Amino acid sequence: MRARRLSHSFILAAVLGLSVAAPASLWAADTDAGKPTPPAVDAKLAITEQRSSVSQVMQLRKSAADKGDKVKESCLYERLRGLQQTLDSTLVAVAALEAAGARGDQKSERAERERVSRALDLSRQLRTDAEGCVGGELVTGSRATSISVSGGGQGDDAKAGPAELQTIRPVRLELPSRPNPASAFRPAR
């Protein structure tokens, strides 16, 4: 019976995209009854907060693009992609959480709540990183650039160019004696 539960948990983990190490930690939590459960995270509020973070970073990226700051825009784009992937993962976890609640599977429900909690922590970190992105605003402004060149007047090499003389050969304008077999214009047989 235990092996059957493990295989079902592994299949469920594979379908939901959990790592292989996560189900092993969940099985260990099943044996340790005295282990404290992680604080409950409201899944709907987590999704709302993550969507808000995505829209906030999208606005930051748009303002950086309007200013023409490619460095900051690239930094924000990377954080935005991470936030969107985290939001997708949270949506999958919430769907699995609701399914586990409908089945009455406490173990899976606990695992999905932990997954939502981790995704929320990651999205908060990514939003903080996005707010810390810097780019062109570090440049204080344009300034005059001067270039000075010193030298002897002529180039360094007195004999610059090819060492041998070159002759220009005339172009031969003659038709071939027989048609090219690969030509589309060859005569029909």
Side-chain angles (χ1 to χ4, degrees), residues 4-186:
R4 188 178 217 184
R5 283 180 56 199
L6 294 179
S7 67
H8 288 300
S9 297
F10 183 76
I11 291 170
L12 179 65
V15 169
L16 296 177
L18 293 174
S19 67
V20 178
S25 66
L26 295 177
W27 301 324
D30 209 25
T31 59
D32 299 333
K35 203 172 192 181
T37 60
V41 175
D42 186 12
K44 301 298 180 187
L45 289 177
I47 290 173
T48 304
E49 182 179 338
Q50 287 179 341
R51 284 185 177 153
S52 171
S53 296
V54 167
S55 64
Q56 178 187 3
V57 174
M58 285 175 85
Q59 289 298 324
L60 289 172
R61 183 172 177 236
K62 185 180 181 307
S63 69
D66 291 344
K67 292 178 184 175
D69 190 353
K70 295 295 182 185
V71 174
K72 186 172 184 176
E73 183 183 1
S74 174
C75 176
L76 289 169
Y77 174 73
E78 291 173 9
R79 300 321 183 264
L80 180 62
R81 284 201 52 199
L83 277 169
Q84 289 170 337
Q85 289 172 351
T86 306
L87 176 61
D88 290 343
S89 176
T90 303
L91 291 172
V92 170
V94 167
L97 176 67
E98 290 171 356
R103 287 190 318 263
D105 188 2
Q106 296 292 327
K107 184 173 144 184
S108 294
E109 192 174 345
R110 195 174 337 125
E112 295 306 324
R113 284 198 187 281
E114 184 177 335
R115 184 174 172 192
V116 169
S117 174
R118 287 184 182 175
L120 184 60
D121 291 342
L122 179 61
S123 69
R124 288 174 179 161
Q125 180 63 42
L126 286 170
R127 185 185 63 221
T128 303
D129 291 347
E131 290 169 351
C133 283
V134 292
E137 64 255 5
L138 292 178
V139 178
T140 58
S142 61
R143 58 180 181 219
T145 305
S146 63
I147 300 173
S148 62
V149 179
S150 62
Q154 282 189 334
D156 294 340
D157 190 7
K159 290 183 154 185
E164 68 274 352
L165 295 176
Q166 296 180 348
T167 58
I168 298 175
R169 297 184 183 154
V171 178
R172 294 178 54 187
L173 299 173
E174 51 188 67
L175 297 172
S177 60
R178 57 189 173 98
N180 183 357
S183 173
F185 301 106
R186 69 173 192 223

